[in-house]
Amino acid sequence: MATLIDGKRISQEIKDELKEKVSALKEQGKEIGMAVIQVGNDPASTVYVGNKKKACAYIGIRSESYELPEETTEEELIELIEKLNQDDRIHGILVQLPVPKHINEDKVIKAISPNKDVDGFHPQSVGALSIGQKGFVSCTPAGIIQLLKRSNIEIEGKECVVIGRSNIVGKPMALLLLRENGTVTVTHSKTKNLKEVCKRADILVVAIGKPKMIDASYVKEGAVVIDVGIHRNENNKLCGDVDFESVEPIASAITPVPGGVGPMTIAMLMNNCVEAALM
Ligand code: NAD
């Protein structure tokens, strides 16, 4: 039976540490500010933005909310970002993605100052990560490293297999595991013999976006399994990319869905914002 990696507890631990840091900074007269921008009113985005603002309030970060109408033009959005880039009271700028189709997401990401890029999506942040320089790191993979470290799971020298090569999860995950001296293999939809490759893994990170695709036949006995996927099944219950019931008996440690990777993303966003204020 696997140990459950408790993302709820670990994310709470991180938020409490940040809360203390923020309150110490306040005593020195420094207040941290984050701008949260949403364009349009996609219901899922509204929930994410609400959770981010709640986390800011808990930690003591002042959040400034910009709820822009669906018809906002690319120029208007970029103009707002440029204004916030210049605003000393704002340390982190977050544009909730996806933006409406008439706005070019890449241009929006590039418009955010790399010093305020708390999502870690700016090409400069991604470049810094790939050459081992300081910069903001995408929150979900950064959260996974924290889950492993705070569960005393060693990465150095381990066979790490990442399934998925997206810019926000798979690729930065691979770079972070490499930075921690793991031996890293990245797999994707065109990988041949996926099962065989996965079975080599001491640490298997699954970010595919396919409900319950990874069952015990992909997992080596005693492996650590990290499930990034989030889906609602036919009974409206949350599940991941990993078939938990099948994998849990043979893994040594596993993240549940919900309560595993999910809560870490916001905790690391808050961490990035505090770091931005300390730069
Ligand atoms: P994505 O769709 O951008 O990327 C999926 C990746 O999986 C691709 O690189 C693709 O090559 C690979 N893939 C697809 N089918 C495959 C197959 N049959 N075999 C091997 N590889 C395959 O997705 P993403 O943004 O990386 O997200 C992945 C999952 O993680 C989704 O379920 C998403 O909802 C979830 N997610 C969760 C969080 C969180 O905070 N917990 C954050 C981001 C994403």
Side-chain angles (χ1 to χ4, degrees):
M1 245 183 55
T3 306
L4 275 193
I5 301 177
D6 188 348
K8 237 172 140 179
R9 179 184 62 73
I10 296 173
S11 65
Q12 189 59 45
E13 198 175 282
I14 292 173
K15 284 192 282 185
D16 286 337
E17 289 166 13
L18 291 171
K19 191 175 177 167
E20 262 181 44
K21 252 192 209 172
V22 170
S23 120
L25 285 169
K26 261 191 196 149
E27 275 171 28
Q28 297 163 26
K30 184 159 182 104
E31 195 181 43
I32 305 181
M34 167 132 99
V36 183
I37 306 173
Q38 183 183 356
V39 186
N41 41 23
D42 170 64
S45 291
T46 305
V47 172
Y48 292 137
V49 162
N51 289 340
K52 288 168 187 173
K53 288 195 282 195
K54 242 191 258 166
C56 282
Y58 179 78
I59 287 162
I61 295 175
R62 187 179 61 82
S63 69
E64 253 177 40
S65 189
Y66 294 87
E67 284 148 28
L68 309 180
E70 180 85 21
E71 324 68 78
T72 304
T73 64
E74 190 176 288
E75 292 69 31
E76 286 166 334
L77 177 57
I78 290 177
E79 207 174 291
L80 170 63
I81 293 170
E82 281 167 355
K83 201 181 94 205
L84 293 166
N85 282 341
Q86 302 303 322
D87 185 341
D88 291 341
R89 296 184 339 128
I90 292 295
H91 302 91
I93 301 173
L94 182 141
V95 179
Q96 185 63 45
L97 300 177
V99 284
K101 289 203 169 49
H102 64 276
I103 297 177
N104 181 325
E105 194 172 287
D106 289 343
K107 279 195 191 161
V108 171
I109 291 171
K110 268 198 210 146
I112 298 172
S113 159
N115 294 334
K116 300 190 178 187
D117 173 37
V118 284
D119 258 335
F121 296 161
H122 192 287
Q124 189 172 312
S125 308
V126 178
L129 172 64
S130 72
I131 56 172
Q133 288 184 358
K134 215 172 148 34
F136 293 111
V137 177
S138 180
C139 300
T140 302
I144 292 170
I145 295 292
Q146 285 302 312
L147 280 180
L148 294 170
K149 286 192 168 172
R150 288 174 187 245
S151 305
N152 297 317
I153 294 166
E154 177 133 357
I155 303 170
E156 185 163 318
K158 295 288 166 63
E159 285 281 348
C160 304
V161 175
V162 180
I163 319 181
R165 57 173 164 185
S166 70
N167 289 340
I168 62 166
V169 188
K171 278 186 206 150
M173 185 75 252
L175 289 167
L176 284 174
L177 289 165
L178 193 59
R179 189 160 90 178
E180 298 296 331
N181 298 319
T183 302
V184 183
T185 306
V186 184
T187 66
H188 45 79
S189 55
K190 303 281 187 276
T191 298
K192 296 212 166 74
N193 308 324
L194 183 65
K195 261 187 202 183
E196 280 161 41
V197 179
C198 290
K199 278 207 126 164
R200 293 208 306 255
D202 300 311
I203 300 174
L204 180 64
V205 180
V206 187
I208 316 173
K210 300 229 155 78
K212 296 193 179 183
M213 183 180 134
I214 299 304
D215 63 17
S217 65
Y218 289 79
V219 179
K220 176 170 81 177
E221 179 109 33
V224 173
V225 180
I226 305 291
D227 188 355
V228 187
I230 317 177
H231 314 274
R232 273 197 192 278
N233 70 9
E234 55 287 356
N235 307 320
N236 207 30
K237 274 186 76 178
L238 289 174
C239 72
D241 289 346
V242 174
D243 182 349
F244 186 89
E245 280 71 33
S246 163
V247 171
E248 190 269 345
I250 64 159
S252 63
I254 187 167
T255 55
V257 177
V261 173
M264 296 302 291
T265 301
I266 289 189
M268 297 317 288
L269 176 71
M270 298 297 116
N271 182 65
N272 280 353
C273 195
V274 173
E275 291 211 338
L278 292 173
M279 275 195 335

